[in-house]
Amino acid sequence: MTATATGSTETPEIPAHRDPNVLRWLGAYTASMIGDSIYFMALAWAAARTGSASGTGLVLAAGSLPRALLMLGGGVLADRLGPRRVVIGSDAVRALLVLGLAATLVLTAPTVGVLVVVAVLFGAVDALFLPAVGALPPRISAPGQLARIQGLRALAARGSSIIGAPMGGVAVAVGGPSLAFAAAGVLFALSLPLLLGLRIGPLPEPVEHGEAPAAAGAAPTDTEQTPNAWHDLVDGLRYIRRHPLLGPLMLVIALSELGFVGPLNLGLILLSEQRGWGAAGMGWIVAGFATGAAGSALLLAVRGRVPRAGLVMCLMALVGASGIAALAQVPSVALAATTAAFVGLTAGLAGALCGALVQTSAGPAYLGRVTSVSTLFTYAIAPLSYPVTGAAVALWGTGPVFAVSAAVCAAGGAMGLTVTALRRAELPR
């Protein structure tokens, strides 16, 4: 077994950006992410063509509930079956589901009912895919390469958004939603041979950051084996709560996402409207954020490791929070875009380091469940702040709301600094 798969020190590590195994995973992940962007673009246009504003909103929201409800179960499944099996099965189901919808729309006009069913099923499969794809990196490379992989993953996510949305728009313009759904389905299918070619190695022992729970990195023995999925889930949550590093990390993730998602998604739209910057101004601000986030991802992808990762992560969360508060005070689009780039750089670096620390600290038997909890905050719980953000801006304006959001983000970084195990956490060399 090579060092790439096992993390052995007997042979030199292959840098992640030169490792064919990592590049296969990255290619599959990128294809899936571009497919996601095209799918959501096609879904929005197909829903709009039903002619019902309320129906369009229902279609776009339909996938959120199963994604939130089933995300933790997806982590249990990834631990039970292995993350590669779950990712392959998820992408196969998504390909069949979306290609089937494309064929249906060739024969008949879209209806709200059909689109809601597809959105619900897609959200349910997403709940399995997201924890599993996040749990794969420790199985395909050495621990010392995980920060670099997080950087490559962030670059792929940013690039997929940039590529996928225009591709979806062109496909809808040329052939309607059916062509766009077909393109998304093909991309999901293209990821399958890459995933099947992955070499999966055994996980190394987790990095210790203080006194860990007993048998933290080992699977239960025959006498301790949990009898069903529910007990697996409870066991995973108990493991996170008792872990000296993972418990505080999850709190940092929760606070950071709750303070970040509302103002940076919905809040920026409302800010641009209030200032008269319009859609063009909003586009420049989003581009600034994406540039900063891509810069942090590139830094990790090239450098591969950041010393004192826990301390840097917490400090970046604190510094980035100041940028969120400043966004509502800047007087011009240019300054807003520059500030957004600063927020993207700091928040992107903090997020990537957090992901790498999660993957190196979690025990092998729990990695899927740990990943599902962190993913739940990012993809399911944080978006629930949209209605609150909108109502708060209507009552008090963007300045106070952005300030409160910044305070929530800063609380996550400050809380992390108070935890010795997190403040002193290091990534493997």
Side-chain angles (χ1 to χ4, degrees), residues 55 123 209 222 246 381 389 410:
H209 301 283
D222 290 340
L246 291 176
I381 293 179
T389 300

Side-chain angles (χ1 to χ4, degrees), residues 248-249 252-253 306 308-318 346 349-355 357 412-413 416 422:
L249 264 176
V252 172
I253 292 171
V306 175
R308 307 195 71 177
L311 177 63
V312 172
M313 182 201 74
C314 295
L315 291 177
M316 288 299 99
L318 278 171
T346 53
L349 183 57
L353 289 175
C354 189
L357 286 170
L422 181 52

Side-chain angles (χ1 to χ4, degrees), residues 32-50 56 59-60 67 98 101 105 110 115 118-119 122 160-185 187-188:
S32 291
M33 292 299 291
I34 295 174
D36 268 343
S37 294
I38 296 174
Y39 162 78
F40 285 112
M41 173 70 73
L43 187 68
W45 277 101
R49 290 190 177 184
T50 64
T56 300
V59 169
L60 296 180
R67 190 179 292 110
V98 176
L101 178 59
L105 295 184
L115 295 178
V118 170
F122 194 93
S160 299
S161 297
I162 294 170
I163 295 170
M167 282 183 64
V170 170
V172 169
V174 172
S178 60
L179 179 60
F181 282 125
L187 284 164
F188 293 140

Side-chain angles (χ1 to χ4, degrees), residues 216-237:
T221 63
D222 290 340
T223 59
E224 299 170 332
Q225 192 71 38
T226 51
N228 56 44
W230 173 253
H231 287 95
D232 279 356
L233 175 58
V234 172
D235 181 48
L237 296 175

Side-chain angles (χ1 to χ4, degrees), residues 60-104:
L60 296 180
S64 300
L65 185 59
R67 190 179 292 110
L69 293 177
L70 299 176
M71 188 77 72
L72 297 180
V76 172
L77 198 63
D79 284 335
R80 285 198 160 205
L81 302 181
R84 186 179 70 158
R85 290 182 181 178
V86 177
V87 171
I88 290 172
S90 300
D91 263 351
V93 171
R94 294 200 297 179
L96 292 173
L97 179 65
V98 176
L99 289 173
L101 178 59
T104 300

Side-chain angles (χ1 to χ4, degrees), residues 136-179:
L136 263 177
R139 304 294 296 269
I140 60 175
S141 188
Q145 296 300 314
L146 289 178
R148 180 171 275 131
I149 291 177
Q150 289 299 312
L152 291 171
R153 181 183 179 184
L155 277 175
R158 295 296 167 194
S160 299
S161 297
I162 294 170
I163 295 170
M167 282 183 64
V170 170
V172 169
V174 172
S178 60
L179 179 60

